[in-house]
Amino acid sequence: MDYKRYIAENLQIEGVSAEEIAESVAVPPDTAMGDYALPCFKFAKVLRKSPVAIAESLKDGFPVGGAISEVSAVNGYLNFKIDRKGLAEETLGRIFREKENYGSSDLGEGKTVCIDYSSVNIAKPFHIGHLSTTVLGGALYRIYRFLGYRCVGINHLGDYGTQFGKLISAYKRWGDREEVRKGGIHAINELYVRFTNEADEEMEREARENFRLIESGDREANELFEWFKELTLAYVKTIYEKLNITFDSYLGERFYTDKMQPVVDELREKGLLQESRGAQIVDLEEYGMSPCIILRSDGASLYATRDLAAAIYRKNTYDFDRCLYVVAYQQNLHFKQIFKVLELMGKEWAKDLVHVAYGMVSLEDGAMSTRKGKVVWLEDVIAKCVEKAYRIVDEKNPALENKREVAEKVGVGAVVFGALCNNKIKDIVFSYDKALNFEGETSVYVQYTCARAASVLAKAGKYAVKQDYGVTPCAQEFELLKALADFPDTVAAAAKAYEPSYVARFCVDTAQKFNRFYIDCKILQAEENVRDFRLALTQATLAVLTNALGLLGIGVPEKM
């Protein structure tokens, strides 16, 4: 239950909306005063009364009973205490009824959201810089689907440009089919790097000609290109499988080759296209932006041309209610330009396009991308995390069965959580040791908490599931119940803000509350009703944390 909303809807303050009241409700520093508090000072001017008088007046009119068991007015604050038994009954009852669907809703029923994420380049391996877009987009996909939306995951492949002409030239000069087949994407990348390092003017001319052959439909050039694409997708799908990532579309830039001219024609017809130094542009100066270049002086298209065509195609094909672009913040201007151009074209749905910007990922030594010469492949980061996880698990529990399987879930989870645990716009410095810390704010800590809960339940055997245990939750139980009750609102808030970090934060906070409950409250040794209640609370916590981690793409080992 959203208690802030409940409180707001049961208060009438002249000239103040329920939304404003809900935003003012806070958790007091001393919970002995109440579980929630409404400071009345900001209403004094509107109501022309003292905060003390306002609080007293509101107290008298608030309906005590149901969700709120007690209301008090103290020094201009209106304090509320939650009915603890009612909270336990409602929350546990709902979790056991809804099970893996707890936290879901029909908020998105009948609505479609397109999510453009990962967007790998053909013939280039995944490096650590691709981590955020991939796991952030994947988490948003799962969160929106959990809320009832029809989701379309789009991998907008980078499969257009003269680099593919260079790759064909490199392959014809130095490539061996069998060696490339065995080496896969890394063999392709080595050929491309070699061409880049050795290319002279004649080789560059040859590469441009090879790209022209691809565009003109030359059979040999296109067969080679399709083979390179096939090798790339086979490689990236192994990474996606590890990260629990799926897509509904792999339509890349090349798909829009024949869809760009209609966009150019429409821009021209609507008087939006201007010539500038031989190039065709849309002038955006009055909107505080540099021009959006549609065609270069040689007539070649650019990212903007293809992104405009892609947006129109997606609207026509999926009729989305929202289309998200999960792309690094360095592309802020690009997407502002694209969205503004579509708006100027009269596309009313341009308002439904959202750039979900995120920060960059680097390792502690500063390694991030190929441009600095420090190539850090994502597959190597995952493998190293899994291997370190195996050593830690083996040391902590040598007799554990399926250690490799557990290490895979722990290691991959650490990589994913490391990219999702903070606000998405922050730059991330990934640390293997921090990510795999059993005591830190990590997925490992949450997974270990789940394993602890599962162990308690296994030792307990059967217990009675009741509507009312006749137990008034103690402080630790109450805090845990409040956290579990907040899960549906947390998921909805994460979708609204495009912030999977809300779910990650929820996982850590709830795990911390469970561990305080586990340490301070006897579970198996308690008297029957209390024992059953605490086991129900333990099972509910395990179910909710499993749901929450699943939304992030992280698995939960049964034992650790």
Side-chain angles (χ1 to χ4, degrees):
M1 173 182 288
D2 185 342
Y3 283 96
K4 292 183 179 181
R5 169 65 60 180
Y6 178 85
I7 291 168
E9 289 175 349
N10 283 279
L11 288 173
Q12 298 294 324
I13 303 177
E14 186 180 349
V16 184
S17 69
E19 287 73 18
E20 290 175 293
I21 297 172
E23 288 174 2
S24 299
V25 176
V27 176
D30 181 5
T31 53
M33 299 297 295
D35 300 305
Y36 292 97
L38 176 68
C40 297
F41 306 94
K42 66 184 297 183
F43 309 128
K45 187 174 182 181
V46 175
L47 301 179
R48 296 182 180 178
K49 293 181 181 179
S50 72
V52 171
I54 294 170
E56 287 289 346
S57 174
L58 292 174
K59 176 180 76 73
D60 295 337
F62 193 90
V64 176
I68 301 298
S69 62
E70 183 183 329
V71 182
S72 62
V74 180
N75 298 327
Y77 287 87
L78 194 62
N79 298 322
F80 305 87
K81 288 192 176 181
I82 295 172
D83 177 15
R84 295 190 176 191
K85 286 183 70 174
L87 173 67
E89 183 178 321
E90 178 190 350
T91 303
L92 294 179
R94 186 176 171 188
I95 292 170
F96 288 132
R97 282 194 310 273
E98 299 179 16
K99 298 178 182 176
E100 67 273 7
N101 293 319
Y102 177 69
S104 66
S105 77
D106 59 1
L107 181 69
E109 186 176 354
K111 298 177 182 178
T112 297
V113 58
C114 291
I115 309 176
D116 178 332
Y117 60 106
S118 199
S119 302
V120 294
N121 294 313
I122 296 301
K124 289 186 179 179
F126 254 123
H127 62 67
I128 194 172
H130 292 110
L131 174 61
S132 289
T133 175
T134 303
V135 299
L136 179 57
L140 288 172
Y141 183 97
R142 285 182 289 271
I143 287 168
Y144 275 98
R145 189 172 58 185
F146 198 55
L147 295 175
Y149 288 85
R150 174 199 176 207
C151 292
V152 182
I154 300 171
N155 197 328
H156 187 67
L157 299 174
D159 59 0
Y160 191 95
T162 55
Q163 66 265 37
F164 300 110
K166 295 178 180 180
L167 187 55
I168 288 174
S169 292
Y171 176 75
K172 286 184 173 181
R173 284 172 180 271
W174 309 300
D176 176 87
R177 190 172 186 87
E178 186 58 24
E179 287 183 7
V180 170
R181 186 189 66 78
K182 287 181 180 178
I185 195 167
H186 290 290
I188 299 172
N189 187 64
E190 286 173 9
L191 288 172
Y192 180 77
V193 170
R194 181 175 176 182
F195 183 92
T196 302
N197 291 334
E198 298 184 19
D200 56 22
E201 190 174 325
E202 173 59 25
M203 291 168 69
E204 293 285 359
R205 185 203 62 75
E206 180 187 285
R208 288 192 295 272
E209 173 60 17
N210 280 326
F211 179 58
R212 188 194 67 77
L213 289 172
I214 294 174
E215 289 191 297
S216 64
D218 177 79
R219 181 178 174 181
E220 181 189 16
N222 276 279
E223 283 180 351
L224 281 173
F225 173 80
E226 289 299 329
W227 183 46
F228 297 149
K229 182 175 179 178
E230 179 186 320
L231 291 171
T232 303
L233 290 179
Y235 159 78
V236 299
K237 285 178 180 178
T238 62
I239 305 293
Y240 291 144
E241 188 176 337
K242 285 182 181 293
L243 296 173
N244 299 306
I245 299 293
T246 58
F247 294 95
D248 302 291
S249 168
Y250 281 89
L251 297 180
E253 293 180 75
R254 193 176 180 218
F255 176 77
Y256 299 100
T257 302
D258 62 350
K259 297 168 180 59
M260 291 184 284
Q261 191 57 48
V263 175
V264 175
D265 292 342
E266 185 176 348
L267 287 168
R268 187 171 282 117
E269 287 166 10
K270 292 181 175 176
L272 294 170
L273 214 55
Q274 299 179 22
E275 184 174 320
S276 175
R277 298 179 183 177
Q280 298 294 309
I281 68 163
V282 176
D283 187 1
L284 300 175
E285 184 178 0
E286 66 177 288
Y287 305 103
M289 289 180 267
S290 55
C292 182
I293 304 173
I294 305 299
L295 296 173
R296 290 192 317 211
S297 57
D298 61 0
S301 62
L302 292 96
Y303 286 121
T305 330
R306 296 187 283 280
D307 277 348
L308 290 169
I312 293 169
Y313 174 84
R314 291 170 188 174
K315 183 61 181 177
N316 292 338
T317 303
Y318 304 113
D319 192 24
F320 56 73
D321 295 88
R322 205 172 306 169
C323 183
L324 312 183
Y325 296 82
V326 186
V327 184
Y329 62 70
Q330 287 89 340
Q331 297 299 317
N332 283 352
L333 175 60
H334 170 77
F335 285 106
K336 284 180 182 177
Q337 290 175 321
I338 296 302
F339 300 166
K340 177 56 70 174
V341 170
L342 287 165
E343 180 188 325
L344 294 174
M345 291 173 74
K347 310 298 183 187
E348 180 273 335
W349 46 266
K351 63 178 175 35
D352 303 320
L353 305 175
V354 180
H355 176 207
V356 180
Y358 60 83
M360 303 306 291
V361 180
S362 62
L363 296 182
E364 289 178 299
D365 63 359
M368 179 172 63
S369 71
T370 55
R371 273 177 281 187
K372 293 182 178 178
K374 294 183 177 181
V375 183
V376 182
W377 305 130
L378 183 54
E379 65 197 275
D380 294 338
V381 174
I382 294 172
K384 185 173 180 179
C385 240
V386 169
E387 191 54 41
K388 285 178 75 71
Y390 180 83
R391 292 199 298 270
I392 294 169
V393 169
D394 184 49
E395 182 181 329
K396 285 183 173 288
N397 192 352
L400 181 66
E401 296 179 0
N402 304 319
K403 277 184 282 192
R404 284 291 174 191
E405 184 182 325
V406 171
E408 187 79 18
K409 287 183 179 179
V410 171
V412 171
V415 174
V416 172
F417 198 85
L420 296 179
C421 61
N422 294 311
N423 184 293
K424 62 181 180 292
I425 205 63
K426 288 185 178 179
D427 288 340
I428 299 165
V429 178
F430 184 83
S431 163
Y432 293 102
D433 292 336
K434 289 179 182 177
L436 290 166
N437 185 349
F438 274 65
E439 303 300 325
E441 297 183 352
T442 63
S443 58
V444 187
Y445 173 74
V446 181
Q447 288 170 321
Y448 189 68
T449 300
C450 290
R452 170 176 277 176
S455 175
V456 170
L457 295 169
K459 290 175 183 176
K462 292 183 179 180
Y463 69 94
V465 177
K466 305 174 185 177
Q467 180 73 13
D468 181 7
Y469 292 91
V471 175
T472 299
C474 68
Q476 294 88 339
E477 294 162 339
F478 180 54
E479 288 302 314
L480 180 55
L481 281 163
K482 281 199 296 182
L484 299 179
D486 279 344
F487 182 56
D489 293 326
T490 299
V491 178
K496 185 177 181 180
Y498 316 112
E499 272 291 1
S501 64
Y502 291 2
V503 177
R505 185 71 255 169
F506 168 88
C507 289
V508 172
D509 289 347
T510 303
Q512 289 172 340
K513 288 180 170 67
F514 175 81
N515 284 311
R516 281 195 286 272
F517 153 72
Y518 173 85
I519 292 167
D520 294 344
C521 303
K522 293 179 180 179
I523 299 176
L524 299 180
Q525 297 81 17
E527 61 186 62
E528 185 177 351
N529 268 10
V530 175
R531 177 182 183 274
D532 287 349
F533 170 69
R534 289 176 177 172
L535 286 170
L537 184 53
T538 299
Q539 185 175 335
T541 302
L542 175 58
V544 175
L545 284 177
T546 300
N547 279 2
L549 286 173
L551 290 179
L552 302 178
I554 298 172
V556 177
E558 292 181 11
K559 297 179 180 180
M560 283 178 68

